[in-house]
Amino acid sequence: MARGRFNSVSRRRAKVVLAGVSLLAMSAVAASAQEARKTNRVESLAQAERSSGGATQLAPIVAVGQAGGQPPETGTIGQPSAPYAGGQMATGARLGALGNRPVKETPFSVTSYTDKLIRDQQARTVADVTLNDPSVRMDAPAFSERDSFFIRGFSVTNLDTAYDGLFYITNPRRSPLEGIERVEVLKGPSALVNGGVGRVGGTINLVPKRATDEPLTRLTTTYMSDSQLWSHLDVGRRFGPEGEWGVRFNGSYRGGDTALDHNENEIGVLSLGLDYRGDRVRASLDLNHSKQNINAPASLFNAAAPGIKIPEAPDGRINTSNPFEYHDSEHNMVAGRVEFDVLENTTVYAAGGISRYREDFLSTSYTIQNPNGDALAEFGYNPQEIQGGLG
């Protein structure tokens, strides 16, 4: 029995010794192969160094960039603020007396929607863009003649919409977007930076388009039900040795029947933006013309008789306006701005504009009389002209 245990132990020890010898042999072979590769690499480098006269050749370095670089967060007349990833929101906005400021450095809640979002959503008016913000609601029917907003529950009329920081020169009824680069929504009291009276809920600022460094020619055609045809031409060019002079033209025409009964509109827009950008001086001049003719614009239920229960909302497919009602309007505007950099972080500017708006309409307003939804219609005919200017 002792002899058998001894033979078994001896065999196990022999196997362990053989395994150790095998591992040592494998390590030696691996080390020899690695040493050989090092030797070959050194010889190859030495040969390459001898053939290149002693210089070491490195792998090529490829640098990828964009002409002109990325726009800054604080935009200027010739260069808007840079967008966030995706391109639909901008990193900066104009804050009245505070100038162009990055969104992350402002003491206000501000959102800047870009031209890319306007095109991606096929937005026609400012109301189509502001509906992206849950704090902003539309106060007028989509098939009416106007835009009107509630920001944080406070009324903001379209006349209070600013154009490049200037108030009371935009279209009092509805601002088209063909010549607009950014729609900036500032939420909260804004009299501190924008002045004015009653701007408690917030303000909306429209930033006009400027010619980009790259030439642009874009033609967009759209068809909307019921038989609305829409064509839009956008052309931009820069001139001069360093592209300091810019021209941006936008022209659009839309007309035909809409999805609402009896409702038909015809809208024409012309916009021309001229700008100069130097080392310390920037200037711009904007000329805008728009015309809007609407047949049977959607009527408004303006009031209800006291003490009655408000009925359910009517069917949205039914137009309560009469077929013979209409609203025709025309708007012309000129705006200019000059900026001068006194110091690296100090800029002085002067801006001014003038506009003229004319309209002629025959429309109705309704007063609900009972819980069944019967209403009293009152016709109104009121041609008017509004002239505005600010400097």
Side-chain angles (χ1 to χ4, degrees), residues 109 165 171 210 216 226 260 317 325 327 331 345 358 374 388:
S109 176
N171 193 314
R210 296 286 175 246
L216 172 67
D226 203 10
L260 189 66
R317 297 170 297 181
E325 296 180 33
H327 189 284
H331 177 253
N345 59 351
R358 297 176 179 176
D374 297 332

Side-chain angles (χ1 to χ4, degrees), residues 167-375:
F167 288 88
Y168 307 122
I169 63 173
T170 58
N171 193 314
R173 295 295 185 183
R174 174 170 287 153
S175 297
L177 292 176
E178 281 80 355
I180 300 302
E181 177 73 24
R182 301 278 169 88
V183 176
E184 301 173 341
V185 181
L186 189 155
K187 291 168 287 186
S190 60
L192 176 64
V193 295
N194 292 320
V197 178
R199 294 177 186 145
V200 179
T203 55
I204 299 173
N205 181 48
L206 307 179
V207 180
K209 288 181 178 179
R210 296 286 175 246
T212 59
D213 293 331
E214 297 295 329
L216 172 67
T217 302
R218 180 189 296 125
L219 176 63
T220 305
T221 58
T222 306
Y223 172 80
M224 297 174 291
S225 62
D226 203 10
S227 59
Q228 279 270 309
L229 297 177
W230 184 11
S231 59
H232 175 202
L233 177 64
D234 188 357
V235 179
R237 294 290 188 276
R238 301 209 68 86
F239 304 94
E242 298 181 0
E244 57 269 24
W245 298 96
V247 178
R248 187 75 176 265
F249 170 80
N250 280 265
S252 172
Y253 176 81
R254 180 169 77 248
D257 295 332
T258 70
L260 189 66
D261 292 342
H262 312 303
N263 187 259
E264 178 183 357
N265 63 33
E266 181 183 24
I267 301 173
V269 179
L270 293 174
S271 172
L272 180 64
L274 310 174
D275 73 277
Y276 170 81
R277 61 186 192 192
D279 293 335
R280 301 178 63 184
V281 178
R282 296 170 296 276
S284 68
L285 179 66
D286 294 284
L287 299 94
N288 290 273
H289 167 79
S290 62
K291 190 172 183 178
Q292 177 179 251
N293 299 330
I294 301 179
N295 292 333
S299 301
L300 304 179
F301 287 85
N302 299 94
I308 70 166
K309 181 181 178 180
I310 303 299
E312 295 181 358
D315 190 339
R317 297 170 297 181
I318 299 176
N319 189 0
T320 56
S321 179
N322 297 284
F324 55 82
E325 296 180 33
Y326 68 93
H327 189 284
D328 298 340
S329 64
E330 182 178 346
H331 177 253
N332 296 286
M333 182 189 68
V334 178
R337 176 179 292 269
V338 178
E339 296 180 355
F340 177 71
D341 296 334
V342 180
L343 300 172
E344 183 178 355
N345 59 351
T346 305
T347 300
V348 296
Y349 68 92
I354 188 172
S355 67
R356 172 177 290 182
Y357 173 80
R358 297 176 179 176
E359 70 177 12
D360 181 19
F361 66 88
L362 174 64
S363 62
T364 54
S365 59
Y366 288 84
T367 302
I368 302 173
Q369 299 294 307
N370 54 53
N372 296 326
D374 297 332

Side-chain angles (χ1 to χ4, degrees), residues 64 143 151 292 303 316 333 355 384:
V64 180
F143 296 100
I151 301 180
Q292 177 179 251
M333 182 189 68
S355 67
Q384 64 174 326

